[in-house]
Amino acid sequence: MGNISYYIFVLVALIVAFLVVKKVASCMIKTVVLLAMVVALAAIYFLYFT
């Protein structure tokens, strides 16, 4: 059950962060921030869950 709650939290965090960045920043900054978040989440997954 812990992994399911982790994935739900990650999805909610991605959606909220994407909406905030969409409201505040321009297209280029949105892309950079989204890529940084994806890299950070991938690093967390591979460091702690594999």
Side-chain angles (χ1 to χ4, degrees), residues 6 9-10 36-50:
Y6 171 75
F9 172 74
V10 168
M37 287 175 22
V38 168
V39 168
L41 289 173
I44 289 170
Y45 176 77
F46 285 113
L47 289 174
Y48 292 108
F49 292 108
T50 57

Side-chain angles (χ1 to χ4, degrees), residues 5 7 10 18 25 32-33 40 44 46:
S5 62
Y7 288 122
V10 168
F18 179 74
V32 170
V33 170
I44 289 170
F46 285 113

Side-chain angles (χ1 to χ4, degrees), residues 5-32:
S5 62
Y6 171 75
Y7 288 122
I8 291 172
F9 172 74
V10 168
L11 286 174
V12 170
L14 280 174
I15 292 169
V16 169
F18 179 74
L19 291 175
V20 168
V21 170
K22 183 178 173 185
K23 295 277 185 188
V24 173
S26 69
C27 185
M28 184 61 78
I29 295 174
K30 282 194 295 189
T31 304
V32 170

